Amino acid sequence: MLIKATVEDIKKYGEFAYSLALNPAKSCYPTYADGIKTKSDFLDAAERAVANRTSELLLFSIDGYVEGWISYYWIPEDKYLQLNSFNINRGTEQALTELLEMIEAKFTGYTAYFGYPGNNYDAINFLAEHGLKDYFRKAFIHSNNQEL
């Protein structure tokens, strides 16, 4: 289940989400496993996602247990949406299903960009199995306003 996160959720789950962000098999681009971006950068980005009008941070839970979070931002005038974080411990397929359904309902006509490290097999396989094109075996694009 995806639910809108709060600043309190960042405090409660930030360490866990950051540990997932350090694991390319459990996260998306931009990566925090590169040694350049810090935990402070990660938590600041999450706080901005909660505070800004054109971004959102969502907690993902299964059976009452938080399994990670997803953040994204959008640019209304460009009909552009991009993931900032997708840090999921368990249930990647379910998280992507719910995210895609939410994007299609809430952001009709937008183009949404998803980028995953090559070893996030759960995300890559799910997206490939659902007809989304593979770009350089690492980045995926989904658009609900055109045929892919």
Side-chain angles (χ1 to χ4, degrees):
M1 174 192 303
L2 291 174
I3 58 169
K4 194 168 182 175
T6 65
V7 173
E8 291 78 28
D9 293 324
I10 295 169
K11 292 174 185 169
K12 186 172 183 179
Y13 301 109
E15 289 285 334
F16 173 59
Y18 181 68
S19 74
L20 297 172
L22 294 175
N23 182 349
K26 302 284 185 182
S27 60
C28 75
Y29 290 124
T31 183
Y32 282 80
D34 60 7
I36 297 170
K37 292 177 284 308
T38 66
K39 179 167 55 170
S40 178
D41 295 333
F42 178 79
L43 296 174
D44 288 348
E47 288 178 8
R48 283 191 307 275
V50 169
N52 291 341
R53 283 184 321 114
T54 58
S55 60
E56 194 164 53
L57 179 67
L58 304 170
L59 292 181
F60 174 68
S61 63
I62 299 175
D63 301 324
Y65 296 98
V66 171
E67 294 293 340
W69 72 34
I70 301 167
S71 71
Y72 60 93
Y73 71 94
W74 62 95
I75 304 171
E77 58 272 14
D78 295 333
K79 298 243 182 228
Y80 175 91
L81 183 142
Q82 180 177 320
L83 289 182
N84 271 344
S85 66
F86 184 95
N87 307 303
I88 304 297
N89 183 50
R90 174 177 70 101
T92 296
E93 298 86 356
Q94 181 181 337
L96 279 167
T97 298
E98 292 180 26
L99 179 64
L100 289 170
E101 289 172 356
M102 185 268 312
I103 288 171
E104 288 173 357
K106 190 174 176 181
F107 295 97
T108 301
Y110 279 61
T111 300
Y113 293 88
F114 301 70
Y116 292 91
N119 55 348
N120 189 334
Y121 300 114
D122 290 342
I124 290 171
N125 290 337
F126 175 87
L127 293 170
E129 288 168 6
H130 288 80
L132 301 170
K133 280 188 174 178
D134 180 350
Y135 290 87
F136 309 111
R137 292 186 37 83
K138 294 183 182 178
F140 289 86
I141 180 175
H142 171 75
S143 173
N144 63 5
N145 65 349
Q146 65 183 358
E147 189 84 352
L148 291 179

